[in-house]
Amino acid sequence: MSVTDQHGNIFSIFNDLLKADYGIWLWEPYTEQLYFNSHYLTMLGYSNAEFPYNIATWKALLHPDDANNIVPMQFKIIGSAEYGESFDTRFRMKTKNGDYMWVLSRGFVVCRDEHGKAIRLAGIHIDTDTSEAIVNKLAIQHERMRFALDTARDGLWDWSPATGEVYFSPRYVEMCGYQPEEFPQRVESWIERVHPDDIEATVTKQLEFVNNPEMGDTFECVYRFLAADGSYKWILGRGKVTRRDAEGKAIRIVGLHTDITELRNTQESLAHLINHDTLTGLYSRFYFDEKSRQLKEKHYPLSIIYGDMDGLKLINDNLGHATGDTLLKTAASLILQGTRGSDIVARTGGDEFTLLLLNCSGNAANLILERIQAAIDIYNTTPDVLPVFISFGLVCANENNTSVNKLVSQADKNMMNTKLKNHPENLAIIRAWIEKRLGSEIDIADTRLAQVHSSS
């Protein structure tokens, strides 16, 4: 992500825009938070750690002669739409070396509350030495950002923990499909709809934040929230304590509630595509390798089963890849019947399967392999079924002193020993099955097995 880790969540929705080589800012007046992408800070010479993310720090960097004009203008726009929804202004900002830089700031109101006050503003920040051509190009990017941000309107909430008074804006209520009468203005309306699995990280943490000033005055959390239609939406919640009492307990907190369901679903879909084989639904080679790199001593004894199918190339060459795909999916299903829920079963090659069995002794792995083979044997007894034959090799390591790659290599060798014994008979059955469908004889060529024969 191109923004800071500290405040990256809010910008993740607009990640493609934030990779830009110009400054982007986003300001939330209610929480007083001000966010920047990395180029904004680079332009002024600051690092992430040197630039606190709040509006007061930003104001302190304005040239005194400009602050008297810029700040009142911006607060007028925040207060009412009658002063406009956008601004285009030039002013000087203090850089890290103490000099002042002239910048062009183009900003706009993303959304307002029901009283007309701006909840969020966003814009771009450009060095005025930038050429006019680039400025014009950035104007187009500015409109793209405005559109993207405009589609992510937020709900406002305002809570007084001491009295129990709470306010949810109409947008907050509408966001999850509720009518005002279905969502009373009380904090329980929120708590009751937080997913049970997220209560600890969200509700409990937020109550601690209320009572403990050492936790700071701002927070962010991502959680699931029950919508009116019974589904759960992913919500990005942010809040800021505006006042604490003498004992440090929060008197008032204001915040924003953003629906990030589409973003979350997109991320999960991409993660699933990366981590799973699209044909069989098993784990991918990438996922297998990642899990292999993460192994710890606590995962041992560790067993690996390596499987290689018989006859896939023969099926593909004579009946087409659609039939070959059916064979692979059937094989994957049969393998899963014999494994434990915790086992990592991956398709690591065209016709190759590798099983990573954590906390599994050699004896336990042998039982798993027996169950898999039994499932395959039972399947193959069905009359006229597409035959499935897989040769397996097993290896076990009791201690973390051998690389997974070496263990897989040994399991592969053990598999080939099994394949040499069973392959001719298996291939003959597959050949007969194919010829029955084609009504003619076919040639058999298995290059890999021929190489093993020649080297043994």
Side-chain angles (χ1 to χ4, degrees), residues 360-422:
C360 185
S361 66
N363 288 336
N366 269 309
L367 290 175
I368 290 173
L369 186 51
E370 287 174 6
R371 291 201 299 268
I372 294 172
Q373 192 60 61
I376 294 172
D377 292 343
I378 292 171
Y379 164 83
N380 283 334
T381 61
T382 304
D384 214 30
V385 74
L386 172 60
V388 172
F389 295 107
I390 309 173
S391 298
F392 291 104
L394 168 64
V395 67
C396 179
N398 291 315
E399 297 179 356
N400 186 11
N401 55 11
T402 306
S403 72
V404 172
N405 286 341
K406 288 184 178 179
L407 292 174
V408 171
S409 178
Q410 184 58 53
D412 184 14
K413 290 178 181 177
N414 295 342
M415 178 277 297
M416 287 306 299
N417 291 333
T418 303
K419 197 176 190 74
L420 286 169
K421 299 174 185 177
N422 302 328

Side-chain angles (χ1 to χ4, degrees), residues 221-253:
C221 54
V222 175
Y223 58 95
R224 287 159 289 182
F225 193 75
L226 183 65
D229 63 4
S231 66
Y232 278 94
K233 289 184 176 291
W234 281 99
I235 299 298
L236 168 63
R238 282 149 295 138
K240 178 181 174 61
V241 174
T242 61
R243 219 161 26 116
R244 291 187 183 272
D245 62 20
E247 296 178 353
K249 294 185 177 181
I251 297 175
R252 184 184 176 211
I253 308 174

Side-chain angles (χ1 to χ4, degrees), residues 197-210:
D197 293 344
D198 298 332
I199 290 289
E200 182 69 25
T202 301
V203 178
T204 304
K205 182 180 178 182
Q206 205 154 307
L207 292 175
E208 291 175 358
F209 167 83
V210 167

Side-chain angles (χ1 to χ4, degrees), residues 325-392:
D325 289 349
T326 299
L327 180 63
L328 284 165
K329 288 187 283 188
T330 304
S333 175
L334 294 170
I335 291 172
L336 288 174
Q337 288 183 31
T339 56
R340 307 170 300 177
S342 59
D343 295 333
I344 296 167
V345 184
R347 182 186 175 200
T348 51
D351 58 356
E352 298 160 7
F353 302 93
T354 311
L355 285 63
L356 188 64
L357 313 177
L358 310 181
N359 304 117
C360 185
S361 66
N363 288 336
N366 269 309
L367 290 175
I368 290 173
L369 186 51
E370 287 174 6
R371 291 201 299 268
I372 294 172
Q373 192 60 61
I376 294 172
D377 292 343
I378 292 171
Y379 164 83
N380 283 334
T381 61
T382 304
D384 214 30
V385 74
L386 172 60
V388 172
F389 295 107
I390 309 173
S391 298
F392 291 104

Side-chain angles (χ1 to χ4, degrees), residues 57-228:
T57 303
W58 181 84
K59 289 179 187 175
L61 294 178
L62 286 175
H63 192 285
D65 294 343
D66 299 329
N68 294 332
N69 297 320
I70 301 300
V71 175
M73 177 270 293
Q74 290 183 340
F75 276 93
K76 284 182 180 179
I77 291 175
I78 290 170
S80 174
E82 69 178 277
Y83 292 99
E85 296 294 311
S86 63
F87 58 86
D88 191 333
T89 185
R90 297 173 187 269
F91 50 85
R92 287 160 288 183
M93 288 199 73
K94 192 173 186 178
T95 64
K96 183 178 179 180
N97 64 16
D99 297 330
Y100 281 93
M101 170 190 288
W102 278 100
V103 297
L104 167 65
S105 183
R106 286 178 169 163
F108 58 89
V109 175
V110 176
C111 51
R112 295 182 181 274
D113 63 18
E114 69 281 6
H115 302 298
K117 292 186 177 181
I119 295 176
R120 173 181 286 169
L121 297 91
I124 58 176
H125 216 193
I126 312 166
D127 183 342
T128 53
D129 290 334
T130 305
S131 70
E132 189 62 28
I134 295 178
V135 171
N136 291 336
K137 180 181 177 181
L138 294 183
I140 297 173
Q141 297 289 347
H142 178 260
E143 290 305 312
R144 286 180 58 214
M145 184 175 69
R146 180 171 186 168
F147 176 78
L149 287 166
D150 194 50
T151 63
R153 295 187 180 278
D154 295 325
L156 171 70
W157 56 271
D158 190 335
W159 178 32
S160 299
T163 63
E165 294 178 72
V166 66
Y167 166 77
F168 301 109
S169 71
R171 174 59 185 160
Y172 186 108
V173 176
E174 294 167 4
M175 189 180 298
C176 291
Y178 293 103
Q179 296 298 319
E181 61 272 16
E182 298 175 310
F183 206 95
Q185 301 277 344
R186 55 189 183 89
V187 73
E188 288 78 14
S189 297
W190 171 69
I191 294 175
E192 292 166 357
R193 291 172 172 84
V194 174
H195 192 285
D197 293 344
D198 298 332
I199 290 289
E200 182 69 25
T202 301
V203 178
T204 304
K205 182 180 178 182
Q206 205 154 307
L207 292 175
E208 291 175 358
F209 167 83
V210 167
N211 296 312
N212 186 0
E214 293 183 3
M215 294 184 69
D217 285 335
T218 61
F219 67 86
E220 248 184 41
C221 54
V222 175
Y223 58 95
R224 287 159 289 182
F225 193 75
L226 183 65

